Amino acid sequence: MMILLGDFSTFLFISKVNSILEMGENMKHRLLIPLLLFVIVSIPNLIVDAEDSNHEARLKMYKDYELASGVPWYEIAAIDQYERNTYKFKEGSDKLKYDTISIFITNERWSGPENPYYYDNDSYTINLFGGIGKDGNGDGVADINNEEDVMYTMVEYIRSFDTFKEALNSYYQQDQAVKIIEEIAQLFKHFDTIVLDKRCLPVSKRYSYSFQDNYGTARSWGGARSHEGIDIFANYSTPVLATAYGVVEIMGWNDYGGYRIGIRDIYNTYQYYAHLQGYEGDLKEGDIVEPGQVIGYVGSTGYGKEGTSGKFPPHLHFGLYKYDGRCEWAFNPYPHLRRWEKEEQ
């Protein structure tokens, strides 16, 4: 798409560039990026058409900021996606509504922990009190309610560290959050898109299988506990399929689940596949999988030391867990399995 600027806009832009070029190197660096973002992000001709999906608008924004800052788009996108997954669990996040992004920065972090002005939007005093808020659209105001300022602030925060992981560790200070964001970035980079919504059943409909809603029923082996999943009964060696695009977080033996696989998708959802007879090929932790990919085979392993099998009929235990930014909790896979089953008809 061509960038068409009116005569006054062109004059204003050229004047700003000439003024900046006359400044010192440090000042040039600080001001050229916001100006470039102004051209890339704010010019009306570059706004995504109304009929375009929010996915397209988001991806365009990420890539515009990559062009202006040098931070890879999939790293920016991964932070925004993680925030999208967790913002509703954060106190005060409901007060901030942006058109495109979901990044939530607390007022304390934005303005500075000792800043007497809780809703400060002055870059000088924000910086003076150790806040991170910045003016991203060049209007002279560091506005926490403006998504361009928020996105620019986050991108500049990332740029202030030597590595992406260092930035995440400093900002989130939670190993689980850092790991999940890195995995989301890995998925976005690998598939070169943020549209990774396809889902499928964990067993192929070409094979015989059955399942009922037995989520939450009592289990006694290893102590009284609740059944955190759905049992899908099928014959030995029935292929087990990845239900989503994801990263293999864990593989190996678990005394309860036997040979199992844990996979995380871009929505902070952890898919747990247990009682497997074995794994597919050379699948390993850290690998990327996609919906319908064979990852293992139905078995009856578990309830004992490694190699224990046959204590119950062959079936796949399938569980779903959500990480909300503070803790991980199980939820019932049954309605999702039924929906995926229906979608495959």
Side-chain angles (χ1 to χ4, degrees):
M1 182 182 296
M2 294 179 62
I3 302 176
L4 302 177
L5 301 177
D7 291 341
F8 177 74
S9 297
T10 304
F11 171 77
L12 181 61
F13 173 69
I14 293 174
S15 298
K16 287 185 177 182
V17 170
N18 287 335
S19 297
I20 292 173
L21 291 177
E22 294 173 358
M23 299 178 180
E25 289 299 320
N26 290 338
M27 188 63 69
K28 286 181 191 178
H29 174 75
R30 290 174 58 190
L31 295 182
L32 277 173
I33 291 177
L35 183 57
L36 182 55
L37 286 173
F38 168 77
V39 175
I40 292 176
V41 178
S42 301
I43 300 301
N45 298 68
L46 293 181
I47 296 176
V48 178
D49 294 336
E51 62 269 19
D52 287 348
S53 70
N54 186 253
H55 282 116
E56 292 173 331
R58 287 164 53 199
L59 184 58
K60 185 181 186 308
M61 174 178 278
Y62 304 145
K63 293 196 173 183
D64 286 343
Y65 274 87
E66 177 188 55
L67 178 63
S69 69
V71 177
W73 72 266
Y74 47 84
E75 294 181 354
I76 302 171
I79 291 177
D80 189 36
Q81 181 63 53
Y82 177 83
E83 294 281 329
R84 191 172 299 271
N85 299 339
T86 61
Y87 81 93
K88 63 183 178 181
F89 301 106
K90 298 177 181 178
E91 184 178 354
S93 62
D94 57 329
K95 298 177 183 178
L96 297 176
K97 301 293 182 183
Y98 306 118
D99 293 334
T100 309
I101 68 173
S102 294
I103 295 173
F104 172 66
I105 302 175
T106 64
N107 282 94
E108 182 179 38
R109 174 168 273 176
W110 183 273
S111 301
E114 304 299 328
N115 195 331
Y117 300 102
Y118 188 65
Y119 295 100
D120 199 356
N121 61 13
D122 184 284
S123 296
Y124 175 77
T125 53
I126 288 174
N127 183 65
L128 184 66
F129 287 101
I132 67 171
K134 297 184 182 298
D135 171 20
N137 60 3
D139 65 355
V141 177
D143 185 3
I144 196 172
N145 296 296
N146 182 286
E147 70 173 27
E148 291 179 27
D149 289 357
V150 172
M151 179 62 87
Y152 175 71
T153 295
M154 180 57 75
V155 170
E156 284 300 285
Y157 189 87
I158 298 171
R159 278 165 44 86
S160 68
F161 291 84
D162 291 334
T163 67
F164 185 50
K165 187 166 188 174
E166 286 180 31
L168 296 179
N169 278 322
S170 175
Y171 188 83
Y172 290 99
Q173 298 182 11
Q174 292 180 337
D175 291 342
Q176 182 76 326
V178 172
K179 181 179 182 180
I180 291 174
I181 295 171
E182 287 184 313
E183 289 172 346
I184 295 173
Q186 187 180 352
L187 289 166
F188 285 163
K189 179 182 180 181
H190 180 83
F191 292 106
D192 196 30
T193 182
I194 61 172
V195 184
L196 298 173
D197 298 332
K198 182 181 176 182
R199 297 292 185 271
C200 74
L201 278 171
V203 293
S204 172
K205 296 186 70 173
R206 293 180 297 172
Y207 292 80
S208 177
Y209 69 89
S210 65
F211 63 90
Q212 295 180 337
D213 188 359
N214 58 1
Y215 179 83
T217 56
R219 291 292 186 270
S220 60
W221 190 87
R225 55 195 171 87
S226 175
H227 188 225
E228 295 183 347
I230 296 296
D231 290 335
I232 303 176
F233 290 91
N235 294 325
Y236 283 108
S237 300
T238 298
V240 173
L241 313 177
T243 62
Y245 297 96
V247 176
V248 177
E249 280 193 350
I250 194 167
M251 292 178 64
W253 183 265
N254 175 294
D255 287 351
Y256 290 90
Y259 292 113
R260 91 303 196 192
I261 299 176
I263 296 172
R264 181 86 56 180
D265 68 16
I266 66 168
Y267 297 105
N268 293 17
T269 305
Y270 179 80
Q271 295 101 42
Y272 178 68
Y273 309 78
H275 306 313
L276 302 177
Q277 185 180 56
Y279 306 115
E280 169 64 11
D282 57 356
L283 188 71
K284 62 185 181 302
E285 292 179 9
D287 282 355
I288 289 176
V289 297
E290 53 187 280
Q293 179 178 334
V294 177
I295 58 174
Y297 300 89
V298 171
S300 60
T301 59
Y303 284 21
K305 299 300 181 182
E306 183 166 2
T308 302
S309 181
K311 287 192 172 182
F312 40 75
H315 69 277
L316 170 69
H317 170 95
F318 180 71
L320 291 176
Y321 297 79
K322 181 71 71 176
Y323 182 72
D324 63 14
R326 293 170 296 182
C327 61
E328 191 161 75
W329 37 269
F331 62 97
N332 192 352
Y334 183 78
H336 302 277
L337 291 169
R338 285 302 185 199
R339 185 175 73 250
W340 300 338
E341 184 180 45
K342 184 176 181 181
E343 290 173 351
E344 291 181 22
Q345 289 179 351

